[in-house]
Amino acid sequence: MRNLAILCLCFTVIVAGATAIPKPAGTKENGRVTLEYMGAAGWRISDGITIILIDPYLSRILGPPPPLAPPYTRTPGDTRPVYGWNDVAAPDVAAIDAHVPHADFVFVTHTHYDHVLDVPHIALSTHSTVIGTESTENVMRAYGVPEKQLITVRGGEDFDFGVFSVKVIPSLHSPLDHKHYFSSEIAPAGMKAPLTLQQMHPEGGTLAYLIRFHGHQILVFGGMNYIEREIEGLEPDVVLVGAASSRKEIYDYSGRLMHDLHFPLLVLPTHWDNFFAPYGASQQASVDALQSFIQEIRAASPKTKIVVPKYFEAIPLEPELKLK
Ligand SMILES: [Zn+2]
Ligand SMILES: [Zn+2]
């Protein structure tokens, strides 16, 4: 056994030596999938070749807060303008282009400005395909995103894109305003850019996505709610779970979720940060608030690994995750 241990050690060293030439985290050879948090509900999922974005929102404008949310406190030194619902807010093109130079697919969970404001620019600059509701696609059309880049979904589709496939899952918006939030609005066709924040905020329904990529199954939520019957029986190894405080309005939010999904191996909290603050600002208050979510997941699914993401830090998925 001891000899075996030495052998293993040597093998490890040799392997480490053999991989001394740096490679991108995801390569075609190993299909290593990485996830990167971009703030709010925004993520990048990549194998080093194909880049999939979820609700990418890098502008982090000082826009109107959700109903009953406490008014934001400006970070010292933050002199950016404050926008109201009737204002047009230009996306932070410099931040977007710096962080998102390439993309192949953009999945949008719902049409609120913290999910969709940056997507027209990303679609036009990267020529990526935007998958979302009719509401989302009408916002894209207003900005002249070509029809061939738009795939409109309503939930229930299961589409094959070659290197990955995606099951579109009907879902629900976060129960904001102590369950009083409700919107049946759909952004209409025929709008012309630039849109006000109000015009790019008709929710249009909310979707979740199950992305099957290199043997992994990654279930993506963009907020703090789900339809139990739509997720029962899914067995993702990775779940992006909405973790902000409105989840507490839901009965046994984390417990039912973990049970219904057969206790996934990895949970990544999403939509938990203060997205009104610039990237460099402290998120300590949000991290503190996240601790109760982590406890809930631990109690419901003790073997599940929980990783609190840092902005733009790659989280590589272990190949053994998919051996579940
Ligand atoms: Zn929303
Ligand atoms: Zn949101």
Side-chain angles (χ1 to χ4, degrees), residues 147-220:
E147 283 297 326
K148 67 177 179 356
Q149 286 176 239
L150 306 179
I151 295 178
T152 309
V153 291
R154 60 182 293 178
E157 297 86 350
D158 204 330
F159 285 151
D160 192 350
F161 290 98
V163 70
F164 73 95
S165 64
V166 63
K167 187 182 182 73
V168 186
I169 299 169
S171 196
L172 295 168
H173 194 270
S174 311
L176 301 176
D177 195 6
H178 299 302
K179 310 179 190 69
H180 293 283
Y181 168 83
F182 182 82
S183 173
S184 58
E185 284 181 299
I186 295 176
M191 298 187 298
K192 293 275 179 280
L195 303 181
T196 65
L197 290 176
Q198 186 76 59
Q199 284 177 300
M200 62 165 61
H201 209 73
E203 181 204 321
T206 290
L207 300 168
Y209 297 100
L210 180 74
I211 297 168
R212 309 180 192 92
F213 197 20
H214 292 289
H216 295 285
Q217 293 197 43
I218 304 165
L219 178 58
V220 171

